[in-house]
């Protein structure tokens, strides 16, 4: 063969470098494995989480956009880091994605990129939507229908919305190189078929992977406790829990609603004033609720499954659907969701 | 083979080769033949000297001759005399057809005949017949094609001839020796798309011809116009999706779900001939291109939106780079133009030539299906590439893992297949993936030990080399729980896979130690750490085995698997050149020594023999190098070995078992009625060998009514040993030959 300089390309070098890596433990991959090991160890370190603080949104946040994100039901996905994503190319992405969607919708018909279509895809950054300065900027993708009449309301109706964010994602940021953009949490609102199309495009373009993010009962109780702990000026909704009894042929749901102030009072009684929530406190809080229920209805809720929690701050369903109500605690809620998403992709 | 040489060869005539051997398939041999005939002064084809023609007057030769005349006839063009014309024409046509279908035509002949057909000298019926028999002997010269195309511009031939010509081009595409000049005519071919009758065939031809640099915005627009005019045509689909493949920033298309045939089969006319040509130049001709487009080949239908199959399709990732055009430096431009798209990567030499400018797939997971890219992965040191693969594989494993899902066992088959693909890739790379390691951490605690058992255990055997004590709680402790609570078959499978694991680790380490000739203090600690890990793994398996044998009441079946593992262990020093000798625990040794099964005893003997060789080699080396590795060859290892050896010799040879260190209370033997236990253990009385002794005696003196064991002694003893060895107890033979000196015949 040609006189190619093969010295750079021997597999052995890699094998040896890998052995060194192992003992020095420096590469991103090694760091990842370390965290996976930590996660799966028998005794998980008892977690402590901060109670969401009042409005942690950065100053440059656009209030209109933030308002747009509230009071909508979002389906959650976890997302592995995006490879070679560039914030300077959002315009091009808009064009490419619209051509892709158009082509997918009319199977077999080729579409020129940049062609005028009856809908529009817009990429825009969500400024200020971050926990620390290290977090990459969140961004929003919208599909708008174009109205036929040119005069009125040119932007038309929003058909689908999705946004990508990373709030306090340090643990993930540490483990990837600069070619990647970490936005582990993806929230979508709109038809599932659209989510599928757009997800496919992202997967093909940035070599990332979407997985639906379900929230298990354990994490739902954490949400219940943390959100109850938040100080809300005026409660907009009752605090409600939904338990599901697994029985056939139809499952039975038990709804358990309490006044938010009562819930807060209960929380204050189990919470030691440190500003942090511990596992014991969460357990105690839920146990109290359950034993109260048992006293009245003689039903052990602990034998059933918690499937939904709604508070004035936000509501979450075990199937990964979430609605955020309170502007003040938006960042706090997203921080916990980011944590769950990172846990899932590790 | 250098490219220049190949050019020359393909352009020089091939007649000589075909004459001497029409089955010639090897290009190299072919060339030698040609050189030979050239040196004999035989002139070049097309102008064969009469002298030569007289020399070999066989049938082939004559056909050849008439072919020359026929070709010349066509070249000169039709004669005016009408009566004889038809007859001669018919005769010559028949000649050409016969030769072409039998042996194929030489490049010159094709050149001339193509000229004839497309220049319109003859009627379209004749042209069509000639085109149909334009079958190359081996290759077609590019220049002939270019010349032929130039005739198309003159417009002397009719539509049907043009169609046939394009069909011929498509069918013979692989046999055209070069395509650079043809590619320069891309614009011309592209313009021919306008012709409705030609369009499908030109599309097909363009599909074969198109390179990335041919894809231009104005062409994209033209194709889209064509699509608007003609609707969804399968042949346009194919070309459009190829355009999309090369320039995703310009065009987007999604193919219909149902698999379709994109092109009418243009090759049909020449089907049998093509097979023959391919056979003739088997070696150098490239694989025929697959005309089915990627994604639609595999689509189980079930998957919602994570694409068509679990593993993504190979697609060049052209876009992410092209966005940054503004800030691109000159060198970037150059390297981009030279980039080699993955879809064109078909052979290993191609990989070697383009390894520095390979354009990687847009989704890294696609490498699992391409062995060439796996080669690439193996030697590239690009962290982000590995990270992409890591993320994708981790997520896919997690998402597809069937024991994570409730009542979702119908996808078991798919998951099993996926795991098989992953394992195949690991075997190919001889290296485990980090994602699989992470997957094992997460999924092992939830595994029932039954689902995808074989695949899952294979993943364990490809567990990347790591510090044993660090990963023990996550992998090996959990595996032990399953191991002890499962069936004997599961235990055997686990032991088998742990043996594989040991072997994989040893291979990796031995490669490593060969790489490092320089002794570096930091490497030294790394290395001793590695050896410690291996030691701990062996120790762990020893512990598993001892307890498993106890649980399974010393099953011989299980013991075989245990000893298989130690067959690997005993040879570490010599086979892998690693300074480590670990002996088996007494629980395994004595069980094997006193086994009722002769094959176990045989295997034990073999292992002891190998231990001996390894230990003596190590000792010798130690004396030579004067270096001592603290952690391997402690004098304890030698003592232990000698202890085992004494016990074995005592049991098999000297009939003095267990002299040192009374393991057994003599009272026990009295109780079980073997007071003379001391003589009950040797090559004759050993329970595993007793039956051999009996059949030996029966064979020796078939008339004897009673067998007298004690008669085996002296010469007969030696004969008995030979008998044992002939019965397949090679391990025993090796052991006795190496460890026992014959002076001690009892």
């Amino acid at each position: 063969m040609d006189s190619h300089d093969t010295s750079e390309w021997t597999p052995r070098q890699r094998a040896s470098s890998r052995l060194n890596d192992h003992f020095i433990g420096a590469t991103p991959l090694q760091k990842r494995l370390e965290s996976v090991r930590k996660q799966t160890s028998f005794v998980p370190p008892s977690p402590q989480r901060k109670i969401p603080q009042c409005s942690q949104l950065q100053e440059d946040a656009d209030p209109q956009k933030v308002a747009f994100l509230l009071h909508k039901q979002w389906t959650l996905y976890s997302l592995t880091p995006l490879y070679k994503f560039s914030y300077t190319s959002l315009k091009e992405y808009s064009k490419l994605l619209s051509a892709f969607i158009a082509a997918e919708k009319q199977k077999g018909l080729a579409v020129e990129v940049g062609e005028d279509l009856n809908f529009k895809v817009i990429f825009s950054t969500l400024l200020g939507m971050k926990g620390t300065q290290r977090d990459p900027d969140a961004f929003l993708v919208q599909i708008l229908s174009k109205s036929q009449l040119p005069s009125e309301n040119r932007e038309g109706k929003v058909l689908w919305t999705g946004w990508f964010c990373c709030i306090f994602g340090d643990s993930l940021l540490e483990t990837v190189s600069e070619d990647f953009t970490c936005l582990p949490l993806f929230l979508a609102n709109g038809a599932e078929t659209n989510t599928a199309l757009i997800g496919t495009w992202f997967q093909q373009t940035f070599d990332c992977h979407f997985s639906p993010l379900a929230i298990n009962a354990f994490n739902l109780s954490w949400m219940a406790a943390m959100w109850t702990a938040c100080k809300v000026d005026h409660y907009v909704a009752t605090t409600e829990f939904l338990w599901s009894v697994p029985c056939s042929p139809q499952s039975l749901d038990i709804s358990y609603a309490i006044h938010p102030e009562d819930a807060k009072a209960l929380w204050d009684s189990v919470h030691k004033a440190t500003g942090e929530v511990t596992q014991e406190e969460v357990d105690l809080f839920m146990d109290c609720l359950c034993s109260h229920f048992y006293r009245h209805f003689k039903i052990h809720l602990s034998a059933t499954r918690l499937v939904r929690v709604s508070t004035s701050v936000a509501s979450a369903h075990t199937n990964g659907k979430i609605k955020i109500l309170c502007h003040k605690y938006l960042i706090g809620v997203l921080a916990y969701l980011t944590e769950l998403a990172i846990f899932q992709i590790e | 083979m250098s490219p220049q040489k190949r050019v020359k060869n393909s352009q020089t005539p091939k007649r000589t080769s075909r004459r001497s051997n029409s089955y010639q398939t090897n290009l190299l041999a072919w060339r030698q033949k040609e050189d030979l005939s050239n040196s004999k002064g035989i002139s070049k084809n097309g102008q064969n000297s009469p002298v030569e023609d007289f020399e070999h007057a066989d049938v082939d030769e004559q056909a050849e001759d008439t072919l020359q005349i026929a070709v010349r006839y066509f070249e000169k063009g039709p004669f005016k005399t009408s009566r004889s014309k038809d007859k001669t024409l018919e005769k010559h046509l028949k000649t050409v057809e016969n030769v072409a279908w039998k042996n194929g035509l030489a490049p010159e002949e094709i050149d001339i005949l193509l000229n004839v057909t497309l220049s319109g000298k003859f009627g379209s019926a004749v042209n069509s017949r000639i085109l149909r028999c334009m079958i190359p002997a081996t290759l077609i010269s590019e220049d002939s094609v270019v010349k032929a195309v130039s005739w198309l511009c003159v417009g002397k031939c009719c539509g049907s001839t043009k169609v046939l010509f394009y069909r011929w081009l498509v069918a013979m595409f692989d046999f055209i020796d070069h395509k650079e000049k043809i590619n320069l005519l891309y614009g011309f071919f592209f313009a021919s798309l306008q012709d409705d009758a030609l369009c499908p065939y030109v599309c097909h031809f363009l599909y074969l011809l198109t390179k990335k640099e041919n894809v231009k915005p104005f062409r994209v627009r033209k194709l889209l116009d064509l699509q608007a005019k003609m609707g969804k045509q399968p042949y346009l689909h194919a070309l459009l999706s190829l355009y999309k493949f090369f320039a995703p920033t310009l065009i987007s298309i999604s193919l219909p779900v149902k698999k379709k045939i994109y092109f009418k089969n243009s090759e049909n006319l020449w089907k049998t001939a093509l097979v023959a040509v391919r056979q003739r130049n088997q070696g150098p001709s490239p694989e025929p291109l697959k005309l089915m487009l990627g994604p639609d080949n595999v689509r189980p239908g079930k998957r919602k939106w994570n694409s068509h199959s679990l593993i993504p399709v190979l697609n060049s990732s052209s876009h992410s780079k092209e966005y940054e055009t503004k800030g691109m430096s000159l060198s970037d431009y150059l390297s981009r133009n030279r980039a080699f798209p993955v879809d064109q990567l078909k052979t290993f030499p191609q990989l070697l030539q383009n390894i520095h400018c390979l354009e990687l797939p847009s989704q890294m997971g696609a490498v699992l299906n391409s062995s060439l890219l796996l080669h690439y992965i193996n030697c590239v040191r690009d962290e982000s590439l590995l990270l992409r693969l890591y993320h994708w594989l981790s997520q896919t494993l997690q998402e597809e893992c069937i024991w994570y899902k409730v009542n979702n066992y119908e996808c078991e088959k798919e998951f099993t297949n996926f795991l098989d693909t992953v394992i195949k890739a690991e075997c190919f790379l001889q290296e485990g993936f980090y994602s699989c390691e992470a997957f094992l951490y997460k999924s092992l605690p939830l595994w029932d030990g039954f689902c995808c058992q074989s695949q899952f255990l294979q993943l364990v055997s490809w567990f990347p080399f790591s510090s044993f004590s660090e990963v023990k709680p996550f992998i090996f402790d959990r595996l032990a729980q399953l191991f002890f609570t499962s069936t004997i078959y599961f235990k055997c499978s686990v032991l088998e896979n742990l043996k594989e694991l040991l072997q994989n680790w040893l291979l990796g380490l031995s490669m490593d130690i060969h790489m490092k000739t320089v002794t570096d203090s930091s490497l030294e600690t790394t290395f001793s750490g590695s050896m410690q890990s291996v030691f701990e793994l062996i120790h762990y398996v020893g512990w598993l085995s001892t307890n498993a044998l106890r649980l399974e009441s010393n099953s011989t079946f299980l013991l075989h698997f245990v000893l298989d593992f130690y067959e690997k262990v005993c040879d570490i020093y010599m086979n892998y050149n690693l300074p480590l000798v670990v002996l088996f625990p007494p629980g395994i040794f004595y069980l094997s020594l006193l086994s009722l099964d002769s094959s176990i005893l045989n295997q034990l003997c073999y292992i002891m023999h190998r231990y001996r060789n390894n230990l003596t080699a190590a000792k010798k080396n130690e004396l030579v190098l004067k270096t001592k590795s603290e952690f391997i060859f402690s004098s304890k290892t030698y003592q232990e070995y000698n202890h085992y050896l004494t016990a074995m010799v005592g049991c098999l040879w000297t009939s003095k078992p267990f002299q040192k260190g009374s393991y057994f209370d003599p009272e026990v033997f009295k109780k079980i009625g073997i007071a003379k236990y001391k003589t009950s253990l040797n090559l004759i009385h050993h329970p595993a060998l007793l039956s051999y002794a009996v059949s030996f005696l029966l064979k020796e003196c078939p008339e004897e009514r009673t067998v007298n064991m004690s008669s085996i002694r002296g010469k007969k003893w030696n004969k008995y040993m030979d008998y044992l060895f002939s019965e397949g107890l090679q391990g025993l033979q090796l052991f006795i030959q190496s460890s026992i000196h014959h002076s001690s015949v009892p």
Side-chain angles (χ1 to χ4, degrees):
Chain A
M1 268 302 114
D2 293 280
S3 62
H4 233 297
D5 182 18
T6 49
S7 61
E8 280 274 70
W9 299 97
T10 52
R12 286 172 182 194
Q13 277 190 354
R14 209 168 84 70
S16 62
S17 75
R18 182 178 165 145
L19 186 76
N20 290 347
D21 290 347
H22 180 77
F23 287 96
I24 301 158
T27 69
L29 270 172
Q30 287 298 341
K31 283 187 199 153
R32 303 220 58 130
L33 282 178
E34 283 302 314
S35 66
V36 175
R37 277 182 205 159
K38 253 182 243 155
Q39 259 183 39
T40 51
S41 55
F42 280 119
V43 207
S46 152
Q48 292 192 344
R49 294 191 178 90
K50 285 213 173 84
I51 297 175
Q53 293 299 303
C54 200
S55 187
Q56 292 163 310
L57 275 173
Q58 315 264 329
E59 300 83 40
D60 48 358
D62 176 356
Q64 219 180 335
K65 273 188 181 160
V66 172
F68 177 78
L69 303 178
L70 298 175
H71 297 283
K72 272 200 180 62
Q73 179 164 282
W74 301 103
T75 308
L76 301 175
Y77 293 85
S78 67
L79 177 66
T80 61
L82 301 161
Y83 179 67
K84 297 257 181 189
F85 176 83
S86 152
Y87 284 97
T88 56
S89 310
L90 295 185
K91 273 229 172 74
E92 280 89 333
Y93 296 157
S94 304
K95 277 191 213 154
L96 289 171
L97 182 53
S98 21
F100 177 81
I101 294 170
E104 284 290 331
K105 292 244 156 121
Q106 36 194 343
K107 285 266 177 216
L109 210 59
V111 178
E112 188 184 358
V113 172
E115 199 174 297
D116 210 22
L117 301 159
N118 60 355
F119 63 91
K120 205 172 167 188
V121 175
I122 301 174
F123 278 66
S124 57
T125 47
L126 289 167
L127 289 175
M129 190 73 78
K130 45 166 82 175
T132 65
Q133 282 309 318
R134 274 188 75 191
D135 287 333
D137 281 323
F139 70 91
L140 182 76
V141 180
Q142 277 179 298
I143 306 181
L144 304 172
S145 72
K146 272 190 200 159
S147 64
Q148 299 301 315
L149 302 163
S151 55
E152 49 178 309
N153 196 10
R154 277 200 58 82
E155 284 300 88
K157 211 173 97 205
V158 177
L159 297 176
W160 182 92
T161 313
W163 48 300
F164 301 74
C165 70
C166 176
I167 312 289
F168 297 110
D170 286 353
S171 67
L172 181 65
L173 293 170
E174 276 166 13
T175 61
V176 297
S177 54
E178 55 190 9
D179 285 336
F180 295 92
T181 307
C182 293
L183 293 162
L185 185 63
F186 171 66
L187 305 95
N189 173 274
E192 160 80 22
T193 48
N194 282 330
T195 311
L197 276 184
I198 289 149
T200 308
W201 183 79
F202 270 92
Q203 290 190 155
Q204 284 173 6
T205 313
F206 304 110
D207 204 358
C208 54
H209 190 96
F210 288 83
S211 313
L213 181 62
I215 309 168
N216 61 24
F218 176 82
N219 290 322
L220 280 176
S221 354
W222 264 93
M223 288 176 177
M226 286 195 299
W227 297 345
T228 306
C230 294
K231 287 191 193 73
V232 181
D233 299 333
H234 62 282
Y235 293 104
V236 292
T238 50
T239 302
E240 190 193 351
F241 299 86
L242 195 70
W243 268 280
S244 161
V245 184
C247 61
S248 61
Q250 270 173 323
S251 69
L252 187 70
D253 287 342
I254 300 173
S255 164
Y256 180 172
I258 48 175
H259 195 278
E261 275 165 16
D262 295 339
K264 181 79 167 78
L266 173 63
W267 171 255
D268 287 340
S269 71
V270 299
H271 177 58
K272 295 174 207 79
T274 52
E276 284 194 333
V277 182
T278 63
Q279 183 66 55
E280 291 75 43
E281 289 170 0
V282 175
D283 291 344
L284 194 54
F285 178 68
M286 294 308 286
D287 285 350
C288 289
L289 288 170
C290 291
S291 59
H292 178 73
F293 194 83
Y294 179 75
R295 206 170 305 135
H296 288 282
F297 303 103
K298 298 285 175 274
I299 294 173
H300 285 291
L301 285 178
S302 55
T304 66
R305 201 161 64 94
L306 182 60
V307 292
R308 200 184 72 206
V309 169
S310 16
T311 70
S312 289
V313 172
S315 74
H317 194 280
T318 185
N319 62 9
K321 294 227 160 55
I322 191 151
K323 195 185 268 183
I324 303 168
L325 304 174
C326 183
H327 167 267
K328 259 167 69 180
Y329 295 109
L330 178 62
I331 291 292
V333 171
L334 291 175
Y336 187 60
L337 293 175
T338 305
E339 188 187 325
L340 295 183
I342 292 176
F343 183 83
Q344 179 156 302
I345 62 175
E346 262 177 357
Chain B
M1 201 193 316
S2 71
Q4 277 126 333
K5 190 114 185 198
R6 204 165 53 210
V7 176
K8 199 182 126 226
N9 281 332
S10 51
Q11 281 171 351
T12 49
K14 279 141 199 160
R15 182 55 13 95
T16 35
S17 71
R18 203 150 47 65
R19 181 184 303 136
S20 47
N21 182 0
S22 54
Y23 304 109
Q24 192 56 262
T25 52
N26 184 323
L27 196 62
L28 192 74
W30 171 92
R31 206 186 328 143
Q32 285 167 344
K33 284 255 166 61
E34 188 186 48
D35 292 343
L36 200 80
S37 45
N38 278 342
S39 67
K40 273 201 280 177
I42 292 173
S43 60
K44 290 198 172 169
N45 159 54
Q47 20 179 293
N48 283 344
S49 69
V51 187
E52 184 226 4
D53 279 357
F54 284 122
E55 272 174 7
H56 326 263
D58 56 347
V59 187
D60 242 20
E61 201 76 358
Q62 276 173 1
E64 208 96 329
D65 227 13
T66 49
L67 178 68
Q68 295 312 317
I69 299 164
V71 169
R72 234 163 281 154
Y73 166 82
F74 285 115
E75 199 177 3
K76 280 185 188 139
F79 301 99
K80 293 284 177 254
T81 43
S82 59
R83 232 11 227 145
S84 61
K85 176 188 146 193
D86 285 353
K87 257 186 156 179
T88 348
L89 178 66
E90 182 61 31
K91 193 189 95 191
H92 289 311
L93 263 178
K94 272 264 156 57
T95 314
V96 175
E97 277 171 354
N98 284 341
V99 176
W101 284 92
K102 201 173 163 210
N103 293 329
L105 300 172
E108 293 67 32
E109 286 149 12
I110 289 182
D111 187 69
I112 295 167
L113 290 173
L114 264 183
N115 248 321
V116 171
T117 7
L118 295 168
S119 61
K121 280 180 194 166
F122 293 86
S124 64
V126 177
N127 289 341
S128 138
R129 272 182 71 181
I130 300 181
L131 263 180
R132 274 165 207 262
C133 65
M134 296 287 252
I135 299 153
T138 48
L139 294 170
I140 299 166
S141 133
E142 181 184 25
D143 290 331
S144 326
V145 178
V146 173
K147 246 189 273 174
V149 171
S150 70
W151 276 114
L152 288 182
C153 309
V154 179
K156 286 226 171 162
C157 53
C158 66
S160 64
T161 312
K162 280 187 190 169
V163 168
L164 195 61
F165 174 66
Y166 274 108
R167 290 178 69 181
W168 177 81
L169 268 182
V170 168
M172 300 301 166
F173 191 77
D174 291 343
F175 305 118
I176 302 173
D177 55 358
H178 292 273
K179 278 127 195 164
E180 288 79 13
K181 286 186 200 159
I182 300 179
N183 194 275
L184 291 178
L185 299 174
Y186 193 90
F188 171 76
F189 295 118
F190 195 86
S192 309
L193 286 172
Q194 297 294 16
D195 187 329
D196 286 354
L198 283 184
C199 188
Y201 306 101
V202 177
C203 259
H204 194 168
F205 182 62
L206 288 176
Y207 182 79
L208 299 174
L209 190 67
T210 304
K211 285 187 191 162
K212 195 173 175 181
E213 55 267 26
N214 298 130
V215 180
K216 296 272 162 43
F218 71 88
R219 289 200 179 122
V220 170
R221 227 154 289 144
K222 196 84 219 167
L223 277 183
L224 288 168
D225 287 347
L226 213 58
Q227 175 184 259
K229 197 176 95 189
M230 309 181 44
K232 299 180 184 179
Q233 298 294 344
Y235 47 88
L236 271 180
H237 275 167
L239 191 58
L240 281 165
S241 46
L242 188 72
Y243 267 51
K244 183 220 164 182
F245 185 87
F246 285 127
T249 49
L250 292 177
I251 185 174
S252 192
I253 185 173
S254 153
L255 292 174
V257 181
K258 266 202 202 149
K259 191 167 116 176
K260 269 196 179 168
I261 295 164
Y262 293 102
F263 300 111
K264 284 187 198 123
N265 216 337
S266 301
E267 299 171 19
N268 274 349
L269 282 174
W270 294 277
K271 217 169 195 169
T272 46
L274 288 176
V275 175
V277 181
R278 252 173 226 135
Q279 246 165 23
R280 274 198 289 265
N281 39 6
Q282 222 167 36
S285 96
E287 280 280 292
L289 278 172
K290 281 192 199 116
L291 292 184
M292 284 299 141
L293 297 169
D296 299 277
N297 284 342
V298 274
R299 194 185 274 223
K302 178 211 85 166
R303 312 211 62 75
K304 314 197 296 281
W305 62 290
N306 282 327
S307 87
H308 322 285
S309 66
L310 282 181
I311 300 170
V313 188
L314 268 186
N315 267 326
S316 301
S317 68
S318 13
H319 25 293
S320 9
K321 274 172 211 155
E322 273 166 28
Y323 301 135
E324 298 148 25
T325 13
K326 284 161 215 153
M328 213 191 257
S329 69
L330 185 65
S331 68
D332 282 342
Y333 254 118
L334 292 175
S335 67
R336 189 162 64 94
N337 287 341
R338 270 176 30 238
F340 190 84
V342 278
D343 62 297
Q344 284 176 23
L345 189 65
K346 298 277 190 282
T347 63
F348 191 69
Q350 265 183 335
L351 175 70
L352 290 182
Q353 275 160 22
N354 298 294
I355 199 158
H356 58 288
C357 59
L358 206 59
E359 202 173 78
L360 289 169
S362 64
Q363 283 172 287
M364 225 48 219
V367 299
L368 283 192
N369 276 337
S370 156
S371 56
L372 289 172
L373 285 177
L374 283 175
H375 275 304
Y376 181 76
I377 291 272
N378 196 29
C379 57
V380 75
R381 307 177 80 179
D382 177 357
E383 190 73 36
S384 49
L385 187 153
L386 297 175
L387 262 173
R388 286 160 71 188
L389 186 61
Y390 172 89
H391 283 304
W392 172 79
L393 190 52
S394 305
Q395 290 296 293
T396 310
L397 282 170
Q398 189 171 325
E399 214 158 83
E400 296 304 315
C401 180
I402 44 173
W403 53 94
Y404 284 176
K405 303 173 186 171
V406 188
N407 303 329
N408 203 356
Y409 275 67
E410 68 259 35
C411 0
E412 173 157 6
K413 184 105 188 74
E414 196 177 16
F415 185 57
T416 317
N417 289 342
F418 179 66
L419 286 181
D420 279 333
T421 312
V422 173
I423 291 160
K424 219 171 79 194
E426 289 190 323
C427 289
F428 183 83
L429 294 173
Q430 288 290 303
E431 188 176 13
F433 292 121
Y434 284 121
S435 320
C436 296
E437 181 177 345
F439 174 67
L440 286 176
Y441 290 145
K442 285 187 171 187
S443 60
L444 190 51
L446 303 170
W447 187 45
D448 59 1
F450 182 73
C451 253
C452 309
Q453 192 193 86
S454 139
Q455 284 79 13
F456 196 82
L457 289 177
Q458 281 182 75
L459 282 185
V460 172
S461 74
W462 281 108
F463 192 83
F465 180 76
S466 359
S467 152
F468 185 85
S469 50
E470 230 170 80
V471 296
K472 185 167 179 275
F474 308 110
I475 299 292
F476 297 102
D477 285 350
R478 289 168 185 177
L479 193 61
Q481 288 175 0
L482 274 174
F483 180 84
F484 289 127
T485 52
S486 300
T487 62
I488 184 168
Y489 301 107
F490 181 80
K491 293 190 176 91
C492 294
S493 308
V494 169
L495 287 175
E496 177 74 17
N497 282 290
L498 288 173
K499 185 185 83 183
E500 297 289 322
L501 175 68
L502 176 71
Q503 177 175 307
N504 293 335
W505 282 17
L506 290 173
L507 278 172
L509 285 172
S510 66
M511 292 252 285
D512 244 44
I513 203 173
H514 287 297
M515 290 301 293
K516 283 176 206 121
T517 38
V518 223
T519 42
D520 186 326
S521 63
S522 75
L523 288 180
E524 197 61 38
T525 52
T526 311
F527 182 69
S528 69
S530 316
M531 292 325 288
Q532 183 62 28
S533 262
V534 176
F535 175 80
E536 283 167 19
L537 172 67
I538 296 169
H539 191 77
Y540 163 80
V541 177
W543 170 77
L544 274 188
S545 312
T546 315
N547 287 308
L549 285 167
R550 221 174 277 158
L551 282 171
E552 299 293 341
S553 38
N554 306 333
S555 154
T556 312
F557 186 64
L558 184 63
L559 192 53
H560 268 298
F561 283 86
V562 175
L563 289 183
D564 275 348
F565 179 80
Y566 280 97
E567 241 181 82
K568 273 266 130 48
V569 174
C570 67
D571 253 345
I572 292 176
Y573 185 82
M574 290 180 79
N575 275 358
Y576 301 95
N577 208 1
L578 294 171
L580 185 71
V581 179
V582 190
L583 292 172
F584 29 38
I588 293 167
F589 172 76
Y590 288 107
L591 200 62
S592 317
L593 180 58
L594 301 175
S595 164
L596 297 181
D597 188 291
S598 61
S599 63
I600 291 282
L601 185 70
N602 183 50
Q603 212 175 351
L604 177 75
C605 288
Y606 175 74
I607 292 170
M608 284 300 283
H609 160 71
R610 293 306 303 171
Y611 268 131
R612 182 194 160 86
N613 286 359
N614 279 267
L615 283 168
T616 39
K619 189 133 210 164
K620 213 189 264 168
N621 223 354
E622 220 167 72
L623 290 176
V624 173
L625 292 176
K626 299 256 189 248
T627 51
K628 206 159 178 171
S629 327
E630 0 83 55
F631 49 97
I632 318 113
F633 308 119
S634 58
S635 52
K636 210 175 140 250
T637 311
Y638 287 98
Q639 275 169 17
E640 217 176 325
Y641 175 78
N642 285 332
H643 187 79
Y644 284 156
L645 186 66
T646 321
M648 272 189 85
V649 172
C651 282
L652 293 177
W653 199 262
T654 54
S655 311
K656 287 172 193 151
F658 315 123
Q659 291 282 300
K660 278 183 211 154
S662 54
Y663 286 92
F664 303 103
D665 186 358
E667 286 300 310
V668 176
F669 288 102
K670 254 181 214 157
K671 255 186 207 157
I672 54 174
I674 325 171
K676 288 203 286 177
Y677 73 95
K678 287 209 167 171
T679 54
S680 318
L681 278 173
N682 57 26
L683 277 185
I684 301 158
H685 292 99
H686 189 289
L689 299 176
L690 193 60
S691 61
Y692 286 91
V694 173
S695 46
F696 169 72
L697 285 174
L698 286 176
K699 203 176 143 211
E700 280 294 292
C701 18
E703 311 83 40
E704 286 282 337
R705 278 293 168 99
T706 53
V707 285
N708 184 9
M709 292 296 181
S710 49
S711 71
I712 305 177
R713 60 175 66 211
K715 263 192 184 153
K716 212 168 184 180
W717 173 270
N718 286 340
K719 226 173 165 187
Y720 171 60
M721 280 209 304
D722 289 340
Y723 171 74
L724 284 180
F725 302 157
S726 73
E727 286 292 298
L729 300 177
Q730 264 85 28
L732 184 71
Q733 183 176 12
L734 288 168
F735 173 74
I736 288 179
Q737 280 164 2
S738 64
S739 303
I740 295 169
H741 294 291
H742 271 255
S743 57
S744 59
V745 173

